[in-house]
Amino acid sequence: MITFIDEKGTEHSALVAYSVTNAVNGELSVKGTIYTNDKVLHGIDRGWRFRLDDEYYRIIYAKPNDTGRQIEVEFDAVHQFFYDMSKSMVYTTLNGSKPFETYLQAIFSNSGYTYNLETTVGSIRKENFGNKSRLSLFNDIIKAAGLEFSVRGHVVRILKRIGTDLSTIVRKDFNMNELKIEKDINVALALGKMMKITRKVAMNLSMKAH
């Protein structure tokens, strides 16, 4: 059972089967299927959140499925950090060779999050570094330095890369603006019912024709 929190702060509990991806390379996400509570099944939208193991996650994708017996909704969610940082911009720009922490300070200043840099990094040269989302800039600088990170609450640990590759979130240039609810859930369900009715009518007409 997971308690979802809608955009108004109202809580809704629902039966959910889920799996968690939690890696030191930065990825922290949840994938699952919702089975109960009509308010969740028909109302869930991008930006809804839930708490799991003392961490908050935000819904970034939802797809309704009509099994014939019940409605189920598949969903993807990411840690609150990724959602928040994608919604906040850095409007200043940095140019030239700067200490790595100068870039981090620009990204994290007034973001609501703090970082712990647990390795030594020299200066990095960037041009026109800024005027993008904090998340996009963070992905950029992490890749440029060849580092990894992990998130707990409002603290981001940044450390020397120890895995075989960067997280899928970093490698795919995770961009919240490109992620959305696949389609209006109620519309999707209505279309599904219409398609079933259409198929049934077509079958009946075919049988009559023979």
Side-chain angles (χ1 to χ4, degrees):
M1 190 73 71
I2 285 181
T3 299
F4 293 88
I5 305 169
D6 65 23
E7 67 279 0
K8 295 180 181 179
T10 304
E11 297 185 350
H12 311 275
S13 295
L15 182 63
V16 178
Y18 64 89
S19 60
V20 180
T21 298
N22 184 351
V24 72
N25 59 15
E27 186 173 1
L28 190 53
S29 59
V30 177
K31 180 183 292 290
T33 303
I34 304 167
Y35 296 104
T36 63
N37 194 331
D38 285 345
K39 288 186 178 179
V40 178
L41 292 170
H42 293 276
I44 194 168
D45 203 347
R46 177 181 174 182
W48 278 41
R49 61 193 176 105
F50 60 89
R51 187 175 181 180
L52 185 64
D53 296 330
D54 295 324
E55 301 287 342
Y56 281 99
Y57 295 82
R58 290 274 189 169
I59 300 294
I60 58 170
Y61 170 83
K63 178 183 178 182
N65 294 309
D66 188 347
T67 66
R69 294 178 299 175
Q70 64 181 37
I71 303 301
E72 300 174 355
V73 175
E74 298 175 7
F75 72 90
D76 291 336
V78 293
H79 191 277
Q80 181 91 30
F81 166 78
F82 298 102
Y83 189 90
D84 289 345
M85 295 292 271
S86 74
K87 294 292 187 181
S88 180
M89 298 283 291
V90 175
Y91 293 103
T92 57
T93 57
L94 297 174
N95 292 285
S97 180
K98 306 286 185 185
F100 184 71
E101 283 215 56
T102 298
Y103 294 104
L104 290 178
Q105 290 166 4
I107 293 168
F108 282 86
S109 177
N110 299 317
S111 68
Y113 292 86
T114 59
Y115 66 87
N116 288 332
L117 181 59
E118 300 179 15
T119 186
T120 301
V121 184
S123 295
I124 292 179
R125 176 174 291 278
K126 287 287 180 181
E127 299 298 329
N128 298 316
F129 186 86
N131 289 317
K132 293 182 179 178
S133 74
R134 296 180 190 273
L135 184 61
S136 177
L137 295 173
F138 183 65
N139 287 343
D140 184 0
I141 203 68
I142 286 293
K143 289 193 292 184
L147 300 176
E148 290 186 346
F149 67 97
S150 63
V151 183
R152 288 292 178 275
H154 284 73
V155 180
V156 181
R157 293 180 61 208
I158 302 170
L159 57 161
K160 186 176 181 180
R161 188 187 305 180
I162 59 175
T164 57
D165 60 7
L166 289 174
S167 73
T168 54
I169 290 175
V170 173
R171 190 169 60 245
K172 294 180 180 178
D173 294 324
F174 185 89
N175 184 348
M176 282 297 307
N177 292 326
E178 296 175 359
L179 297 171
K180 56 186 177 182
I181 301 301
E182 183 170 279
K183 58 183 69 174
D184 181 89
I185 291 177
N186 292 317
V187 171
L189 297 178
L191 288 174
K193 291 179 180 178
M194 287 177 63
M195 289 176 66
K196 287 183 179 180
I197 293 172
T198 300
R199 286 195 296 267
K200 187 175 181 179
V201 170
M203 289 177 62
N204 290 337
L205 290 174
S206 177
M207 291 175 64
K208 289 180 179 179
H210 289 83

